[in-house]
Amino acid sequence: MGAPEIISEHGCYGGVQRFYQHDSTETAGPMKFSVYFPPRARERKVPALYFLAGLTCTDENFPLKSHAQQVAAALGLMLVSPDTSPRVPRIPGDADSWDFGYSAGFYVDATQSPWAAHYRMYSYVTRELPALIEANLPALAASRGIFGHSMGGHGALVCALRNPDRYRSVSAFAPIAAPMQCPWGQKAFGNYLGADRESWRAYDATELVARKTFPGTILIDQGTEDKWLAEQLLPEKFVAAARGSGQSLNLRMQPGYDHGYYFIQTFIAEHLRHHAAQLQ
């Protein structure tokens, strides 16, 4: 496995913010990701916390908009944010809508043509990218956490619930909590995974948590003024399933907050501390 290519780097709170590119086996093309290295990563390996971004985002949104680096520097956390879909090669129709295809990989391994050849974001996030990071960067293999926003919150919950042996902590901002029951999820799953809804259950956090719990507490923040709350996000479905299975869950409904990065900025420090407590 070759080392990733550095595209750019920037000093940030005593550490370094870098942007990388590499050739991915899973997506059969180039992929980009960002990494924040806290100051202590110069001396030793540190826990790695993976952030999965939402619809229309890239690997740049989180490092540029979250204001996470200052707290990550103090806590000694490496922050890794992959892109949200393959960018090359382009697939006909991949940009026909903003909520499917380009910038909207939904963190699944597609099984339907033409998406199956490149849209393998679940395997990329859970297997290929951590292996690349741990082989080339000062990341502790035994200390991985994962979190995300919206589509990425869905991805983080699914990755953690399906791989409790690979992740020691998980949290989410405004996740698409029950994708099988909302228009965004139904559109993505129908196109990526096909008509057999049974195959969708492997990528639905509400379905997963009803059958299998994550060893630690799941932290979720959700703004009460989020315009997508009632139709697309459905946190109440996840809460009911978690209650039924006995999953430890801390869902915080935050009055006055919407779906954007101002919401994430406000609570990012608490999420980082949630992860640091379990990763260190």
Side-chain angles (χ1 to χ4, degrees):
M1 180 181 297
E5 172 194 356
I6 299 173
I7 298 172
S8 66
E9 66 177 28
H10 317 272
C12 187
Y13 291 107
V16 178
Q17 177 68 57
R18 283 185 186 158
F19 295 88
Y20 288 93
Q21 180 171 294
H22 75 110
D23 292 325
S24 166
T25 333
E26 289 293 347
T27 68
M31 289 293 292
K32 292 181 178 180
F33 63 93
S34 67
V35 180
Y36 176 68
F37 298 83
R40 72 183 68 168
R42 295 191 187 98
E43 304 166 359
R44 60 185 183 275
K45 292 185 176 183
V46 295
L49 180 54
Y50 292 77
F51 182 87
L52 307 185
L55 292 164
T56 75
C57 290
T58 70
D59 59 303
E60 296 184 342
N61 289 76
F62 179 72
L64 291 176
K65 296 181 178 181
S66 69
H67 299 184
Q69 289 94 334
Q70 184 174 15
V71 178
L75 294 173
L77 293 175
M78 179 185 291
L79 302 176
V80 182
S81 185
D83 206 345
T84 53
S85 75
R87 304 286 167 174
V88 178
R90 296 298 300 271
I91 295 174
D94 64 5
D96 286 354
S97 57
W98 65 273
D99 56 355
F100 175 77
Y102 208 62
S103 298
F106 263 84
Y107 306 102
V108 304
D109 284 348
T111 58
Q112 303 302 297
S113 179
W115 313 101
H118 302 284
Y119 278 65
R120 295 185 50 79
M121 291 301 296
Y122 172 77
S123 289
Y124 177 74
V125 164
T126 59
R127 306 288 169 178
E128 184 176 10
L129 183 58
L132 181 76
I133 295 288
E134 289 154 18
N136 294 280
L137 306 179
L140 285 167
S143 290
R144 291 187 214 101
I146 192 164
F147 67 149
H149 170 231
S150 192
M151 176 185 73
H154 137 76
L157 293 173
V158 167
C159 290
L161 287 164
R162 288 182 59 172
N163 301 276
D165 56 328
R166 298 186 65 80
Y167 300 101
R168 290 175 57 183
S169 60
V170 60
S171 71
F173 294 93
I176 302 172
M180 291 179 68
Q181 301 181 58
C182 77
W184 280 342
Q186 290 164 357
K187 178 178 182 177
F189 287 5
N191 282 286
Y192 289 138
L193 304 175
D196 179 11
R197 292 176 65 94
E198 282 301 309
S199 69
W200 299 8
R201 296 184 188 278
Y203 296 106
D204 186 301
T206 294
E207 295 289 326
L208 290 168
V209 81
R211 305 193 305 270
K212 184 178 182 182
T213 59
F214 184 77
T217 297
I218 297 174
L219 171 63
I220 296 177
D221 274 315
Q222 172 64 64
T224 62
E225 302 307 307
D226 190 323
K227 67 179 181 180
W228 307 113
L229 178 58
E231 182 185 16
Q232 303 282 12
L233 305 180
L234 311 179
E236 70 281 359
K237 305 289 188 184
F238 187 80
V239 169
R243 187 179 295 123
S245 65
Q247 171 66 56
S248 177
L249 172 65
N250 183 11
L251 170 67
R252 309 189 306 182
M253 301 299 296
Q254 304 290 3
Y257 289 91
D258 60 20
H259 197 69
Y261 267 83
Y262 295 115
F263 162 57
I264 294 175
Q265 290 172 20
T266 304
F267 301 104
I268 190 68
E270 294 172 46
H271 280 248
L272 295 182
R273 287 193 285 269
H274 164 82
H275 288 277
Q278 296 172 69
L279 295 176
Q280 296 173 338

